[in-house]
Every structure is written in C-alpha cells, then in structure tokens.
Amino acid sequence: MATHEVTNQVPPLTAYDVFGSDPVLREAMDRWGSPTDVPELHHLGSRAGSAEARLWGDQADRNTPVLRTHSPTGERIDEVDFHPAWHELLTVAVGAGLTAEPWTRPPGSGAHLRRAVGFMVWSQAEAGHGCPVSMTYAAAPALQSDPTLAAVWLERLASRRYDPGLRPVSEKVGALAGMGMTEKQGGSDVRANTTRAVATPGGPLPGDTYRLTGHKWFTSAPMNDVFLVLAQTDAGPTCFVVPRILDDGSRNPFALQRLKDKLGNRSNASSEVELDGTWGSRLGDEGRGVRTIIDMVSATRLDCVLGSAATMRQALVRAVHHARHRHAFGRPLVEQPLMTAVLADLALETEAASLLGTRLAHAVDEGDAAFSRLAVAVGKFWVCKRTAPMVAEALECLGGNGFVEENGLARLYREAPLNSIWEGSGNVNALDVVRAVTREPQAVEAFAKEVTLARGVDRRLDEAMDRVLAQVQDITTQDAGQIQFGARRLVEDLALVLQASLVVRHSPTPVAEAFLASRLGADHGWTFGTQGGDLAGHSAGLVDRAFAAG
C-alpha cells in the first residue's frame, strides 16, 4: 500500500573491500607481511564485502544442517546435509589458502600472518564455516610430529581445492580435519575422558593401530575427513588420527547421535559421536595425548582470537555504516557527539583486538613459541571476553533495526560468546596463564621483552608495566587458592599492557593516546562511550580511521 514515501533508511552494506577498508590489517601486512600476498587479500576482501557473500552467510545461517543417520534402505550412513551456501563459503575459504597451507610454506615467508589476515577478512562473511577451516589449519602441526601420518594427510589438508564428500583420502585432492576431545562427564577436564583405545596391530591404517570405544560430547564439523581424538590407554590419555572413511572405502564406525541446537554458529554442525570399535592411528606416545594435541589447541585458540576480532570488526563496520546514513535530530547519527563517542570507543576496542591477533600470527611466523605460549592464552581470554559486550553496543547503535535478523548484527550477537567458550572457557584460559606464569619462566621473559619495547614512551604505560610484571613475580609467594581467586584480574592486566604496548608502537598517535587514557589512565566509565571529555576532539578521527568506505 502506497501510504508513505520511504526515507531515512540505510542502504545495504555491500560492494566494499573488507581488507582494503581495514587500516589495522593493511598496516600489519605492510609491517610484517609479504607484499606479494596483498593483491590476493584485496581480492578476498572484495568477495567478503560482496552482496553474494552476504547472501551466502544469511542462507547458511538460516538453513541449518540436517542429520541423516540412515539411508532409505536402512544402512547406517551418519551424514550431514548442508545448504549449498555452506559449500560456497568453504570453496572460497579453502581456495584462499586459509586451511593448512602456511605449514607447508618456508619459514620467514609471512604465511601465517597472510592466512590470519585472510581468515579475519573472510570470517566476516560468515563465521560458522570457519570452524572446519580453523581445525584443519590447527591439525597440521600435530600431524607433523609423525612423518608417516603427515605424508598421508598434510598435502591434502593444505590443498586449495575444496573436495567435499566421504571418500578414502587416496581419492581426494583436498581434505578437512576436526578433533574430538570433550566428553559429557569431563568437559575441559580431558584427563577424565572414558573413551578407551585398545592396541590392535595390523589394522587398516598406517602406523600403530588401535580400536576406540566411547562417546564424544562435542565434535564439530562431523563431515570432515579426519579427526584428532583423545582416548585412554593403560598409559593415560593418548592422541589418535581417526579417518571417517577407511582405505578400502568402508565407513569407520562414527555414529552421529544428534546435532547440537546452538545459540550461534548455527551453520556449523556440532555433534555427539559414538565410537564403537573405531579405527585410529596413534599420534605421539601413549599417555602423552594432551601434550601431542596441545599444538592443535594453541592454533585453534589463536583462531578464536582472530575470529573474535573479526566479529568485532564486522559489528563496528555495520554500526559506522548505519550511523553515517541514518539521520536523527537534523543531522547524521555519526555527527551526534554521543554517538561519535560510542563509535570511537568501539573502534579503539576493535583496533587493539585486531592488532593483538595479527601480532600473535606474526609470532608463529617467527617461531617465537615462548612468547606465543603466554600471549595466546592471554589474548584468548581477553579478546574473546570483550567481544560480546562490544557487539551488544554496536547492535544498539542501530536501535530496533539492529535487533532484527536482516541487518546482520543479531547473527553477530549470537556468535559473539562462542570463542570465549570454545577451546577452553575463560576460567580454563586464566588457569593456563597461571600455569605458564608459575612454571615457564621463558614465557614470562618473552612476554616482558615484548611489552617493554614500548617503555619510555608514556608514563601511564610504564607504570602499568611495572605493576603487572611485579604481580607476575609476586604470584609465586601466594597459595593456590589466592592465585586462582586473582587469576582473571592478572590476565586482564597482562592483556591491557600487551595491547597498550602494541598500540603505542604501531597505531597513530591519536589512537594510542585515546587507548592509554581510557584503558590505563582510568579516564573511562563502565560502558562503551564513557571516555573522558579530553578525548572528544579525537573521536571523529578515530571513527574515520576505523572505516573509510561507504
């Protein structure tokens, strides 16, 4: 009914370069990356910002996976059907080298940074399909510890050809990996796992073969080709490589009992899996499974930081885009001082998160395991924790329009808590930081070396450094209860000092000043947009820097 003319509505956010419009990612590539990788990232960024990619993301999220346990004739098949958009998203992700390719490129090539930037760019199209992409990337370093198994799987996990469908690995040009760790009685306490593995020599797999029996409570992307699985032997938790399909084309027992009905990440199938005499090849020594799989966990934790930073970034971009095109009280929302204060604060949070994520990826390129050991756990806790409140504030910038699905912020809001839970919740990561601080002095030394590169630039940062490094020294004098009780506060302080050091060294002066004043100088309230009035003159510039497109 033509009762009125439609005005003051915001045009769709499409046809922009997600990489090219992000100053933090561009600067990270200029600083640490290879110039030869930049054109490909611009191409990927244009695809991520296209109407087509936005449609794929909406379709994959709305049309959730469907479990098929049996064929029409009654055979057990345990397959999941996905909407075609899921496969389109994965085709681009795999084709862009976002899976295990960096582990096959020479050291010093910047491959992990390029992949991290690409992962952050393409994740903004849709986050759920990033789960199999991330697990495939993360499986490679664990597999590299066994030359026999690496020879079977690594080349295909690093392939740029997406090859869906359950077939023997010998018949595939590309493969995806997953992992099965958690069980219903243990959760993060994987040493409480009850799945058993019995050595069965002469099995249909390479290496030392076992048969596994038990139940896995949370196995995402069950249509992947191979899984790293923890199971108990007489020596303790042990890691196994478990393919879905055996070399003769038969199905390895891998019964999908149900798919999880999740808050977010809805495009990605997460399942409960029953293992009943399932074949697996041992990876690493018996009883050393947690140590064997820890490289995979560290890599997926890094992707949790990158994925959360990408979610923040997409929320910020949508909020700024809306504020530029929506008018209220006689001028664009972005020109209203209170809205500018909120957007500038969100921009600070996002820049610090993205800068930290890219620095962690650069550490992988450098082989700096000591720094990564502590910094990844700190980043996983902090960046992932900050995502949910940040996205909630960005959603509120759109008002009621942000609360409906068609504007994209609702999906981001449902996605926002995920990475804080995956690969160890906040408490688990805080305890991991404590473990590193109290038992691994080389990790503390590497962390201190990194943050003190900014010493002498600003009094507030110097004081914060001294305070948090003293906390680290004092922790050895406390009893276990005191240490646990104060763990979260310690991680927060470590994270803010690390972010501040990176911002001071690598971001423009107005960004650094605003971050120091609001995050370390106590010139900030409890909610976003409450930074001190002295920063008002910088706010518009921070918003313009954050997103120049549109």
Side-chain angles (χ1 to χ4, degrees), residues 88-150:
E88 297 285 4
L89 290 161
L90 274 174
T91 297
V92 175
V94 174
L98 305 185
T99 51
E101 181 187 271
W103 302 104
T104 65
R105 287 177 60 176
S109 64
H112 291 279
L113 175 66
R114 183 209 66 82
R115 183 261 171 194
V117 171
F119 185 80
M120 293 174 69
V121 165
W122 188 243
S123 293
Q124 293 182 56
E126 197 277 327
H129 78 288
C131 182
V133 172
S134 178
M135 291 190 295
T136 303
Y137 168 74
L143 285 166
Q144 284 178 325
S145 65
D146 188 311
T148 300
L149 295 173

Side-chain angles (χ1 to χ4, degrees), residues 32 129 165 179 213 241 265 270 294 320 340 347 374 420 442 476 507 515:
W32 297 312
H129 78 288
M179 62 180 171
T213 302
V241 177
N265 207 248
S270 298
I294 201 69
V320 173
T340 307
L374 182 52
S420 194
Q442 71 277 11
T476 57
S507 295
F515 190 88

